[in-house]
Amino acid sequence: MPTPKKGARLGGSAKHQEHILANLAQSLFEHGAIKTTEAKAKMLRPYAEKLITKAKRGTIADRRAVAAELPNKEIVAYLFNELAPQFEGRDGGYTRSIKLENRAGDNAPMVHISLVTEELVSTAATRTARAAASREAEAAKVEAAASEEPAVDETAVELNEAQAAEVETAQVEADAQAAEASNEAAIEAQAAEPESPEQEQQK
């Protein structure tokens, strides 16, 4: 036989209390924050955080256990698919409670309870360090690639330039010799031609 809860029970019966907590948890997961009484918030925080822990594990057994607690299938899917990844960097403390002014009428103490989805300082620092390390690795790769490029052989370049100059000089000399040879051939051809009668009379 289960041990009865000490103190006042929400709703008066155990089953009613389960329904109240399930409805509060669904509203919290759907809207991200709700306003309720301090007594309900104190019982809701561990209840909701256990469901978030199961959603983070994400096994089929955990999904069935959460679905047994929360009747709304859409909220269960939203919890597992979208909310749980936002708490990957946290090992606990998924909710935050802030006291508000007492409720008008019955003067009940009120609390604003919300999900803590902000990134932890240590997680942000780790992410920044990883980004800096990746940038340094990329810079090292670029430097290594630049150092592996073949160096220009200045001696070979000078030799190639000298060879090109020699070839150009030899070409100029050959052209000059060919021009001289053609001039000499033309002169010899003119000398070998017979004189015409007019040229003989002029003589």
Side-chain angles (χ1 to χ4, degrees), residues 9 24 35 37 39 43 46-48 57 72 79 89 94 105 112 127 157 166 200:
R9 191 188 296 275
L24 288 172
K35 184 172 69 174
T37 60
M43 300 186 69
Y47 180 83
R57 288 198 297 261
N72 193 328
L79 173 62
Y94 308 123
H112 180 271
R127 181 167 50 82
V157 172
E166 291 178 359
E200 292 179 354

Side-chain angles (χ1 to χ4, degrees), residues 25 28-29 45-58 62 66 70 79-80 83-88 90 92-95 114-117:
L28 178 62
F29 296 147
R45 286 191 69 177
Y47 180 83
E49 293 195 0
K50 287 178 182 178
L51 295 179
I52 293 173
T53 301
K54 291 178 181 178
K56 284 178 63 179
R57 288 198 297 261
D62 291 323
V66 174
L70 305 178
L79 173 62
F80 275 80
L83 278 182
Q86 299 181 27
F87 298 106
E88 286 298 327
R90 290 183 176 272
Y94 308 123
T95 58
S114 60
L115 297 175
V116 182
T117 56

Side-chain angles (χ1 to χ4, degrees), residues 4 6 14 16 22 42 47 60 71 89-90 127-128 146 162 168-169 176 178 193 202:
K6 293 182 180 179
H16 193 189
K42 284 182 179 179
Y47 180 83
I60 297 177
R90 290 183 176 272
R127 181 167 50 82
T128 305
E168 185 175 357
T169 304
E193 289 180 357
Q202 290 177 359

Side-chain angles (χ1 to χ4, degrees), residues 131-185:
S134 64
R135 286 195 297 270
E136 291 178 0
E138 290 295 331
K141 288 181 181 179
V142 171
E143 291 178 0
S147 63
E148 290 177 359
E149 291 181 357
V152 178
D153 191 353
E154 296 180 358
T155 306
V157 172
E158 291 176 357
L159 289 174
N160 291 334
E161 291 178 354
Q163 291 175 357
E166 291 178 359
V167 170
E168 185 175 357
T169 304
Q171 184 68 30
V172 170
E173 292 177 355
D175 293 341
Q177 291 177 359
E180 290 179 0
S182 62
N183 290 336
E184 292 178 357

Side-chain angles (χ1 to χ4, degrees), residues 64-79:
R64 288 174 178 171
V66 174
E69 295 283 342
L70 305 178
N72 193 328
K73 294 181 180 179
E74 294 180 359
I75 299 297
V76 173
Y78 176 71
L79 173 62

